[in-house]
Amino acid sequence: IIFHPFVMRYVGDPYFNGEVGLCVGIATNFVFAAVNGCTGVMYRSPWFIALSIYYVLLAVIRVTIFLSIHKQNHEMAEYDVASWERVVEWIPYRRTGILLFGLTASMTSMVIQMIFDDRAFIYPGYILYVFLVFAVYLIVGSSFNMFKYRRWGFPSLSASAAVSFTGALMAVLAAQSALLHQFSPNHTDFRMIMNTITGSIVLLICYALDLNMIRKGFSEVYRCRHRLPMPELRGLSKFLADKIERRD
């Protein structure tokens, strides 16, 4: 199994690895969007309709990243190309930041419903703890991938990791709401305070990430099109980059 061509390419080719992960994410997001959309229409629930819109936007963003990575695989035969040729990666990176900003806006409506309408995700029995562990895994994994791809110079894969990180933050918020409803069923005010604090932190992180991606995307596209030199790494960034290079 280890020496199967698909497995070897999946392990050794980061772009192919990203394509496979995006395909799985796209399929899952569309299924969740369809289920929540049908439920929202049947019961006339703004909560499920907001969830459906959230998953549709998440799927659309992942589709755009998948198409850009697939296109790059044909345009760039090697990863070690001139820095200004990376414009084909920085444009999708910038577009992802703009789309994520719209996704965060839809998350804002969901957080408002969680705070003022006491909306929550309910998971029976031990499924709640499984989901909580899965949410932590998503946060750790997406954070590591976002940092790794950024240091290795893969903007498209870094954008994909940013999408996963945004979804992971939403999963953490959902896990908290489920925990509060299970262990504090009669404390509405406490749930409102906790949802307000956590929801505000999640939204601030998401908006900061989106705006930083948009800013960096515009600056890098400008640098590539004018063939300006890459900025010199300093301080912690230089130390971490050197450490990754020595490890490779």
Side-chain angles (χ1 to χ4, degrees), residues 197-246:
I197 295 173
T198 308
S200 300
I201 294 173
V202 167
L203 291 177
L204 285 174
I205 293 174
C206 290
Y207 278 119
L209 176 64
D210 303 341
L211 293 175
N212 182 66
M213 289 181 65
I214 295 172
R215 179 198 62 80
K216 187 174 181 60
F218 273 105
S219 63
E220 289 295 331
V221 169
Y222 178 84
R223 182 187 60 79
C224 291
R225 285 178 172 171
H226 292 79
R227 299 197 173 189
L228 302 177
M230 295 184 65
E232 183 181 354
L233 295 177
R234 297 179 180 179
L236 180 61
S237 298
K238 186 176 187 306
F239 170 77
L240 294 173
D242 292 341
K243 188 174 182 180
I244 292 175
E245 185 177 356
R246 286 197 301 271

Side-chain angles (χ1 to χ4, degrees), residues 15 68 72 76 82-98 149-159 212-225 230-231:
Y15 283 103
S68 66
Q72 289 159 206
M76 296 191 304
S83 61
W84 51 80
E85 294 179 11
R86 288 288 183 182
V87 68
V88 297
E89 288 194 90
W90 286 113
I91 291 177
Y93 182 89
R94 179 183 61 186
R95 181 175 62 239
T96 301
I98 297 173
Y149 293 140
R150 178 169 179 153
R151 292 306 173 197
W152 286 359
F154 295 151
S156 295
L157 297 180
S158 180
N212 182 66
M213 289 181 65
I214 295 172
R215 179 198 62 80
K216 187 174 181 60
F218 273 105
S219 63
E220 289 295 331
V221 169
Y222 178 84
R223 182 187 60 79
C224 291
R225 285 178 172 171
M230 295 184 65

Side-chain angles (χ1 to χ4, degrees), residues 52-116:
S52 178
I53 294 173
Y54 166 78
Y55 284 117
V56 167
L57 291 174
L58 204 60
V60 169
I61 294 172
R62 284 190 161 123
V63 168
T64 60
I65 298 174
F66 174 82
L67 293 176
S68 66
I69 291 178
H70 191 71
K71 180 181 179 181
Q72 289 159 206
N73 286 337
H74 294 282
E75 292 188 1
M76 296 191 304
E78 300 179 358
Y79 303 133
D80 188 17
V81 297
S83 61
W84 51 80
E85 294 179 11
R86 288 288 183 182
V87 68
V88 297
E89 288 194 90
W90 286 113
I91 291 177
Y93 182 89
R94 179 183 61 186
R95 181 175 62 239
T96 301
I98 297 173
L99 293 174
L100 278 178
F101 192 87
L103 179 69
T104 306
S106 70
M107 288 174 58
T108 304
S109 67
M110 296 169 60
V111 172
I112 291 174
Q113 292 188 60
M114 292 176 67
I115 295 172
F116 295 103

Side-chain angles (χ1 to χ4, degrees), residues 104-201:
T104 306
S106 70
M107 288 174 58
T108 304
S109 67
M110 296 169 60
V111 172
I112 291 174
Q113 292 188 60
M114 292 176 67
I115 295 172
F116 295 103
D117 297 337
D118 200 24
R119 300 291 185 182
F121 297 86
I122 306 299
Y123 300 97
Y126 291 101
I127 296 179
L128 171 60
Y129 302 102
V130 174
F131 180 75
L132 181 61
V133 173
F134 182 66
V136 174
Y137 165 77
L138 288 177
I139 281 288
V140 174
S142 59
S143 301
F144 175 77
N145 287 334
M146 192 163 52
F147 170 79
K148 178 180 67 174
Y149 293 140
R150 178 169 179 153
R151 292 306 173 197
W152 286 359
F154 295 151
S156 295
L157 297 180
S158 180
S160 176
V163 175
S164 300
F165 181 73
T166 302
L169 288 175
M170 191 62 196
V172 170
L173 188 59
Q176 178 198 268
S177 68
L179 285 170
L180 290 175
H181 265 269
Q182 179 163 331
F183 295 105
S184 301
N186 300 320
H187 297 80
T188 306
D189 293 338
F190 176 72
R191 290 200 301 270
M192 178 180 291
I193 293 173
M194 292 302 298
N195 286 332
T196 301
I197 295 173
T198 308
S200 300
I201 294 173

